[in-house]
Amino acid sequence: MSTQQAEPESQEAPKDPEMQGAESPAAEKQKGGGMVDQTSTDASELEGETVHIKVFRYDPEVEAKQEPRFDDFHVPFEKGMTVLDAVMYARDEYDSSLTFRHSCRQAVCGSDAFFVNGKQRLGCKTQIADLEQPVRIEPLPHQEVVKDLVVDMDHFYDQMHTVEPYFQQEDLPDGELEEQRQSRENREKVKMSTRCIWCGACMSSCNIAAGDNEYLGPAAINKAYRFAMDEREDEEIKEHRLRILEQEHGVWRCQTQFSCTEVCPKDIPLTEHIQELKREAVKKNLKFW
Amino acid sequence: MYEHDVIVVGAGGAGLRAAIAAHEAGADVAMVSKLHPVRSHTGAAEGGINAALREGDDWELHAYDTMKGSDYLADAPAVETLTQNSPEETINLEHWGMPFSREDDGRVSQRPFGGLSFPRTTYAGAETGHHLLHVMYEQVVKRGIQVYDEWYVMDLVTTDEPDPNDRECHGVVGYDVQSGKIEGFKAHDGVILATGGPGQAFDHTTNAVSCTGDGHAMAYRAGAPLEDMEFIQFHPTSLPSTGVLISEGVRGEGGILYNNEGERFMFEHGYANNDGELASRDVVARAELTEVNEGRGVNDEYVHLDMRHLGEERIMDRLENILHLAEDFEGVDGLIEPMPVKPGQHYAMGGIEVDEHGQTCVDGLYAAGECACVSVHGGNRLGGNALPELIVFGKRAGRHAAGDDLGEPEIKTGYGDDVEDETDTELPVAPGKAGLDTTGSVAADGGVTAEADGILERSVEAAREHVDSLIEKEDGVQHAEIRAKLQRAMTDYVNVFRTGDGIRKALKIIRECRQEYQNVYVDDPSRTFNTDLQQTIETRNLIDVAETIALGALVRNEFRGAHWRQENQTRDDENWLKHTLISWDDGEPSIFYRPVILDGENKTYEPKERSY
């Protein structure tokens, strides 16, 4: 087993990925969403130190990576360093084949949701100093792994699209510059739901979604909530939306385990939104499938 | 091979708006994007959308502010098009369900922003871009527009007549990131580049890592000139550690800047005696760095932005997102302590030269959004003017590409009779192709009437060979090393304060990067999701774009907008009321100039001294 050290000389020449140590050769790809939060380390204790990260590796095409494994990297710590910073450093300095999605680095693009120390988190928003070492970084559970930390998001996108995720109000006010009025209270009501960045953390943490591929899932239901509760859409379309949601694999599948709410990086009260839609469906006397 | 009428490259604000408009005009549209649309960098915009919506405001005032903010380097027809169309386009977003912040009467809220004479910035909390992006993606889903997501466009497919004005664009070559497959995309009517900014040319930037100037570089190599590239906006309030953006909305709502002596320096040191923190961005960024350079910075690096006095209620209502950013990325609670901020690369005022319809000089090639320069921002973009640009010019490009008649454009493009030639500025090194193969520039093989399918096939073949050679090469230099060197040079020498000597140093380093790039290789042998390969191609684009930024900065020996030169600290209207254009002339950049258009619909915007 070889581990990468952050000695200045080792930063010069990127090392062969095949030389990376494999600490846990039989890494399990589909782990459930256990919610073990970690105790934090004081950042000042880490000054001048390296942090030890264990990163999941898998590539269906490269022989040495076909068997999933973990690679160890020791990355020099800097104050404010995030999980994303650490894996970027490992990639740029030690192994350029290390693969993950990332873009904005500020928690709005939703690309870098990983399974970090047993919890779904955005890499860019998670401080390394808050985590217990070694930091285990894995792809989102319950999604097919494409390579390393990259998962296939197609199913997630399909579920988002199932709920007709677009505003549907054809009856607009007269005059090009006339707005639809929306009360501050109503905007406040839908505000949290509009913050979703489609990162997929909630879906990955949901035990129900893991067992029922057709379950709409927390993100899609939240997207529907965003429209169903918006007073600018009229009653008819609201009813249509509730009919989509109350179907067999809709809101009633939710068992209020709160795992989605717990992992949401934008603090959206997903479970509460799902419950509210259940109540709406009951009030509208929609059939209980 | 895939075929569509209109192909939109990039799926952020401008791309989505262009696709919707082209679709509404009856075209079969496809979007090709290296990211899934909701991952686009438009989502990181915070502040808002300038639109003259209210009594007491009108498009002419907005146009005046924009011309002044630009330091009289914007073209009036473009600015007036922007300000006339922005109200309708902004309300259109509301009609599509955008969750704007609201007033008590239920109408959309507006707030003050830097350089504006009226509080006309329409916003949705401090996350306007996120909502704009999602609302427009929703409309793309609603219309069933085809999206090829995680397809990286490597090249434009363009004929190779000697004069770029005679060239024609037939499509693009795309690379499927997930599978490694390389395919041609044929566009019957037009290709619209909407690829965003080139912020990754710098190492302290608010831009996403995906902002690598791909569209700039591809258009440039296909013959469309890049315009005013020296004008790079450094946003006054980015977080020191990461470059994460703190919206101008904080200052718009009343946030105050302090130096390490607790002085409100914008006033106390006379940088902007009227507008203070709400002077335009170039003014505030220079003021902050001057404070730091004169020893009044906090930790010799940054200044403080304080919003505590606004009160929790107002902050939570209008700036909540800022609290989260300061907490997550700097460990600072904005409710109880001031936030550290410093200037960070934020926006490129320049870009691919286009007219008001989004057309470049290459037939069938369009550009919109930050990658384009129409030009509405001139030497300095006002906060809140980027988002209306996306929707107004994205829509126009989409409509025109789909065949709608938008009339005769007033802005000219390409090399022609109205341009002023070459510069006599001495360059420190011969720029251009030296040391770099030109794989993937103009792809046709000399046939003036080369037939589209043939050119497309040859381009795809060339791209496949290029990728094979990068992957099969056993050793050499890695892109990350070259990219880091390039970013460092740009930040060291082509930053807020610029000197001729510094820019020359940057050009030498860029040239070294070019030479090193000749030996670049991709370590990852896999065809599956090979980000190493993608970033290697992006790095080449960054080299081309960085060179045009530095070249433009070197030749423009005056001080205008965001472009400050130590040797020439005054604006020189006599010689420099003109745009810098750099075109890729057989692999060597050549420079020419086009006069700025100050004549608007009803008036001429006479250059005046800018004071705030």
Side-chain angles (χ1 to χ4, degrees), chain A residues 121-180:
Chain A
R121 312 173 200 243
L122 284 189
C124 66
K125 221 193 125 166
T126 305
Q127 293 284 322
I128 281 281
D130 292 343
L131 301 169
E132 203 167 77
Q133 287 193 49
V135 179
R136 245 169 101 101
I137 306 166
E138 299 167 75
L140 288 182
H142 304 135
Q143 271 138 304
E144 197 187 324
V145 179
V146 176
K147 175 176 170 179
D148 293 349
L149 302 175
V150 174
V151 294
D152 188 338
M153 293 289 286
D154 284 351
H155 177 63
F156 176 82
Y157 296 141
D158 288 347
Q159 296 305 78
M160 294 301 273
H161 291 166
T162 305
V163 298
E164 300 183 11
Y166 36 81
F167 194 67
Q168 299 183 48
Q169 173 62 285
E170 307 304 331
D171 193 15
L172 294 166
D174 291 336
E176 248 167 26
L177 294 182
E178 202 46 53
E179 304 142 47
Q180 304 165 96

Side-chain angles (χ1 to χ4, degrees), chain A residues 12 14-18 59-62 65 79-80 82 85 88 91-92 94-111 124-125 127 146-147 150-154 156-157 161 165-170 172-173 175-184 187-188 190-192 194-200 223 226-227 230 232 265-267, chain B residues 35-36 38-41 43-44 46 52-54 87-88 91-92 94-109 124-125 127 130-131 134-135 137-139 141-142 149-150 178-179 200 205-210 241-245 316-318 320-321 324-325 328-330 478-481 521-532 535:
Chain A
E12 290 302 312
K15 300 196 176 155
D16 185 342
E18 320 258 322
D59 186 331
E61 252 188 89
V62 176
K65 278 173 72 185
K79 188 174 174 283
T82 63
D85 292 334
M88 283 172 76
R91 178 197 63 197
D92 291 346
Y94 306 141
D95 180 358
S96 62
S97 72
L98 177 55
T99 304
F100 46 93
R101 289 192 184 94
H102 67 300
S103 188
C104 75
R105 309 137 31 255
Q106 60 182 86
V108 290
C109 79
S111 308
C124 66
K125 221 193 125 166
Q127 293 284 322
V146 176
K147 175 176 170 179
V150 174
V151 294
D152 188 338
M153 293 289 286
D154 284 351
F156 176 82
Y157 296 141
H161 291 166
Y166 36 81
F167 194 67
Q168 299 183 48
Q169 173 62 285
E170 307 304 331
L172 294 166
E176 248 167 26
L177 294 182
E178 202 46 53
E179 304 142 47
Q180 304 165 96
R181 302 293 174 108
Q182 182 185 25
S183 66
R184 292 171 74 107
R187 185 197 183 249
E188 201 58 32
V190 298
K191 185 175 84 177
M192 294 310 288
T194 64
R195 292 203 171 145
C196 175
I197 54 173
W198 298 43
C199 69
K223 188 78 183 169
R226 178 254 165 284
F227 294 108
D230 191 317
R232 292 174 292 174
K266 307 306 280 187
D267 301 326
Chain B
L35 307 171
H36 183 277
V38 302
R39 316 284 176 222
S40 304
H41 191 56
E46 293 167 9
L53 293 173
R54 298 283 179 258
E88 183 191 332
I91 296 306
N92 183 49
E94 198 287 328
H95 290 172
W96 284 344
M98 176 132 167
F100 282 113
S101 292
R102 299 281 167 167
E103 294 299 326
D104 288 339
D105 63 1
R107 301 191 71 183
V108 298
S109 292
E127 50 206 25
H130 162 79
H131 294 304
H134 282 256
V135 162
Y137 177 60
E138 289 160 19
Q139 293 298 313
V141 173
K142 184 178 183 182
D149 66 318
E150 294 189 332
Q178 288 224 19
S179 71
Q200 287 295 322
T205 175
T206 65
N207 284 196
V209 288
S210 56
S241 59
T242 49
V244 165
L245 176 69
M316 290 308 286
D317 183 36
R318 299 170 174 213
E320 185 189 339
N321 186 40
H324 299 313
L325 294 175
D328 293 340
F329 298 101
E330 214 71 44
Q478 290 196 320
H479 74 84
E481 199 180 313
Y521 85 115
V522 174
D523 198 33
D524 187 352
S526 177
R527 300 278 164 169
T528 305
F529 223 99
N530 191 334
T531 50
D532 192 4
Q535 291 179 319

Side-chain angles (χ1 to χ4, degrees), chain B residues 157-441:
Chain B
V157 176
T158 308
T159 58
D160 70 345
E161 287 80 358
D163 182 349
N165 294 313
D166 299 331
R167 288 180 195 159
E168 204 177 335
C169 180
H170 290 302
V172 303
V173 179
Y175 156 78
D176 180 5
V177 179
Q178 288 224 19
S179 71
K181 189 172 70 172
I182 293 170
E183 289 292 340
F185 289 76
K186 184 175 168 184
H188 299 132
D189 298 331
V191 170
I192 302 174
L193 295 171
T195 52
Q200 287 295 322
F202 292 81
D203 82 348
H204 186 81
T205 175
T206 65
N207 284 196
V209 288
S210 56
C211 297
T212 51
D214 300 329
H216 291 80
M218 288 190 293
Y220 178 51
R221 296 198 294 264
L226 297 185
E227 178 177 353
D228 294 338
M229 292 300 287
E230 61 271 31
F231 291 100
I232 295 289
Q233 179 161 77
F234 297 89
H235 196 288
T237 57
S238 72
L239 295 177
S241 59
T242 49
V244 165
L245 176 69
I246 297 298
S247 168
E248 185 164 313
V250 175
R251 284 170 291 138
E253 297 292 345
I256 296 175
L257 291 167
Y258 293 109
N259 62 20
N260 71 355
E261 290 165 18
E263 294 171 311
R264 192 175 178 182
F265 59 86
M266 289 306 297
F267 290 104
E268 291 190 34
H269 290 272
Y271 298 107
N273 289 324
N274 295 318
D275 294 353
E277 285 84 2
L278 281 179
S280 73
R281 291 179 173 175
D282 55 327
V283 175
V284 182
R286 279 192 297 274
E288 290 176 0
L289 280 189
T290 304
E291 289 299 298
V292 171
N293 291 343
E294 293 184 359
R296 295 189 296 272
V298 183
N299 292 333
D300 285 332
E301 194 197 350
Y302 50 84
V303 295
H304 275 145
L305 174 62
D306 196 351
M307 62 175 184
R308 291 173 292 181
H309 56 285
L310 301 178
E312 185 168 351
E313 195 185 330
R314 184 146 161 214
I315 292 172
M316 290 308 286
D317 183 36
R318 299 170 174 213
L319 299 166
E320 185 189 339
N321 186 40
I322 300 306
L323 283 181
H324 299 313
L325 294 175
E327 172 68 36
D328 293 340
F329 298 101
E330 214 71 44
V332 165
D333 181 350
L335 290 175
I336 58 173
E337 54 196 323
M339 300 174 285
V341 292
K342 74 175 194 182
Q345 191 285 344
H346 181 57
Y347 189 87
M349 269 71 76
I352 304 160
E353 186 201 35
V354 293
D355 64 24
E356 316 88 289
H357 309 338
Q359 300 179 99
T360 69
C361 69
V362 175
D363 194 28
L365 181 62
Y366 296 77
E370 189 176 342
C371 73
C373 179
V374 47
S375 68
V376 287
H377 308 305
N380 170 65
R381 176 175 68 79
L382 293 181
N385 264 356
L387 297 184
E389 185 197 2
L390 302 182
I391 48 180
V392 168
F393 292 101
K395 179 182 178 180
R396 291 174 69 85
R399 287 183 56 194
H400 197 274
D404 271 6
D405 183 6
L406 300 180
E408 195 56 35
E410 287 180 59
I411 294 169
K412 302 269 177 290
T413 55
Y415 191 89
D417 298 339
D418 60 329
V419 306
E420 188 186 312
D421 243 328
E422 291 283 336
T423 174
D424 55 3
T425 305
E426 207 178 303
L427 302 175
V429 280
K433 68 183 171 188
L436 188 64
D437 76 82
T438 48
T439 309
S441 52

Side-chain angles (χ1 to χ4, degrees), chain B residues 433-586:
Chain B
K433 68 183 171 188
L436 188 64
D437 76 82
T438 48
T439 309
S441 52
V442 179
D445 61 356
V448 192
T449 53
E451 174 262 335
D453 286 1
I455 308 176
L456 211 73
E457 274 167 32
R458 282 194 295 280
S459 299
V460 169
E461 211 36 60
R464 285 181 182 148
E465 281 168 22
H466 180 50
V467 164
D468 287 347
S469 70
L470 283 170
I471 291 185
E472 281 159 18
K473 196 164 154 52
E474 293 282 317
D475 56 16
V477 192
Q478 290 196 320
H479 74 84
E481 199 180 313
I482 302 173
R483 191 185 283 208
K485 180 171 171 174
L486 184 81
Q487 290 171 330
R488 195 66 244 160
M490 294 299 283
T491 295
D492 284 348
Y493 301 118
V494 200
N495 212 306
V496 176
F497 293 123
R498 299 169 173 183
T499 68
D501 282 350
I503 300 166
R504 285 190 187 89
K505 276 187 196 144
L507 280 165
K508 281 186 190 152
I509 297 170
I510 293 166
R511 158 82 168 227
E512 280 168 30
C513 291
R514 268 191 194 287
Q515 277 165 335
E516 284 162 20
Y517 192 85
Q518 186 157 308
N519 197 25
V520 80
Y521 85 115
V522 174
D523 198 33
D524 187 352
S526 177
R527 300 278 164 169
T528 305
F529 223 99
N530 191 334
T531 50
D532 192 4
L533 170 65
Q534 186 184 326
Q535 291 179 319
T536 299
I537 301 169
E538 288 170 347
T539 299
R540 193 263 160 109
N541 292 336
L542 284 171
I543 295 172
D544 284 344
V545 175
E547 183 168 73
T548 63
I549 297 170
L551 276 174
L554 184 65
V555 297
R556 186 178 287 272
N557 53 7
E558 64 155 354
F559 163 28
R560 184 181 299 272
H563 174 64
W564 183 95
R565 279 286 294 268
Q566 189 188 37
E567 303 86 348
N568 311 79
Q569 296 187 29
T570 50
R571 195 175 76 195
D572 178 2
D573 286 341
E574 202 169 313
N575 295 306
W576 283 104
L577 279 174
K578 60 189 184 188
H579 300 292
T580 323
L581 293 150
I582 304 181
S583 72
W584 178 264
D585 190 3
D586 193 26

Side-chain angles (χ1 to χ4, degrees), chain B residues 40-104:
Chain B
S40 304
H41 191 56
T42 298
E46 293 167 9
I49 305 172
N50 294 339
L53 293 173
R54 298 283 179 258
E55 208 170 308
D57 196 11
D58 62 37
W59 70 264
E60 287 184 283
L61 274 175
H62 185 187
Y64 172 80
D65 291 343
T66 303
M67 290 301 290
K68 177 185 169 191
S70 80
D71 225 351
Y72 303 93
L73 195 72
D75 286 329
V79 168
E80 295 190 342
T81 301
L82 175 86
T83 60
Q84 287 165 354
N85 289 286
S86 179
E88 183 191 332
E89 284 303 306
T90 304
I91 296 306
N92 183 49
L93 290 171
E94 198 287 328
H95 290 172
W96 284 344
M98 176 132 167
F100 282 113
S101 292
R102 299 281 167 167
E103 294 299 326
D104 288 339

